[in-house]
Amino acid sequence: MVVEVIVEYNDQDLFSGQYNPSELKVKKSQGRNVYEIVRLQDVFNFLVSPKVLAALELNGLSGWKSYGVQSDIELVGYRGFQCTGKCGFPVRPKQSGFVTGYEFDIETWDGSDFFIPESTMMIICTERAKQVLDKLNIKNIELENLRSHEWYNA
């Protein structure tokens, strides 16, 4: 399922926690099934179920916060997910084109379980966070090892 925000907002500010609404008004846009993760219409933002929220909190995972949601469909307990953890810029390889593997300077990482590299909209999580998420058997999430991540270097 995809839901659409029915108020004006900046998708990047919402994603990174720079904009933290008390409640974001959304309506159903596409799909029928409500999974543990529900996407908003932009490519960055999503809602998480009470089950996911409870697992994040119970395991003391860091680098995230959430906001409330008001919806025209049944999304009781779902909240918007915002990634607040940070690290520095990605280490760019010398060659341009598609590359395999993703690196950042570990000294720039704030130590959070969820974090965003500077100048990107990519969420990285620690192995500990991955293990918590894997136990939830979420159908609509893909976690990828940074060593095998393929991306384009301009």
Side-chain angles (χ1 to χ4, degrees), residues 41-57:
Q41 79 269 16
D42 63 69
V43 296
F44 310 119
N45 293 293
F46 54 93
L47 312 177
V48 292
S49 72
K51 178 180 168 181
V52 173
L53 288 166
L56 298 179
E57 291 171 354

Side-chain angles (χ1 to χ4, degrees), residues 90-93 95-103 122 142-154:
V91 175
R92 299 260 181 214
Q95 77 274 19
S96 62
F98 286 99
V99 294
T100 300
Y102 193 89
E103 296 180 37
M122 177 175 149
E142 182 180 341
L143 301 175
E144 181 181 18
N145 189 307
L146 287 180
R147 290 183 188 106
S148 58
H149 178 66
E150 292 184 17
W151 58 288
Y152 188 81
N153 183 42

Side-chain angles (χ1 to χ4, degrees), residues 22 32 37 39 64 74 84 92 120 122 127 136 141:
S22 58
R32 291 187 198 140
I37 294 176
R39 284 194 37 233
W64 66 280
E74 194 65 31
T84 59
R92 299 260 181 214
T120 76
M122 177 175 149
E127 179 63 28
L136 297 174
I141 188 173

Side-chain angles (χ1 to χ4, degrees), residues 7-38:
V7 295
E8 245 183 79
Y9 75 108
N10 179 303
D11 56 357
Q12 293 179 14
D13 288 348
L14 182 64
F15 175 76
S16 65
Q18 294 174 16
Y19 168 58
N20 193 10
S22 58
E23 257 190 357
L24 192 67
K25 294 180 181 182
V26 300
K27 68 177 184 176
K28 180 180 174 182
S29 179
Q30 301 172 339
R32 291 187 198 140
N33 298 327
V34 178
Y35 294 107
E36 302 302 324
I37 294 176
V38 175

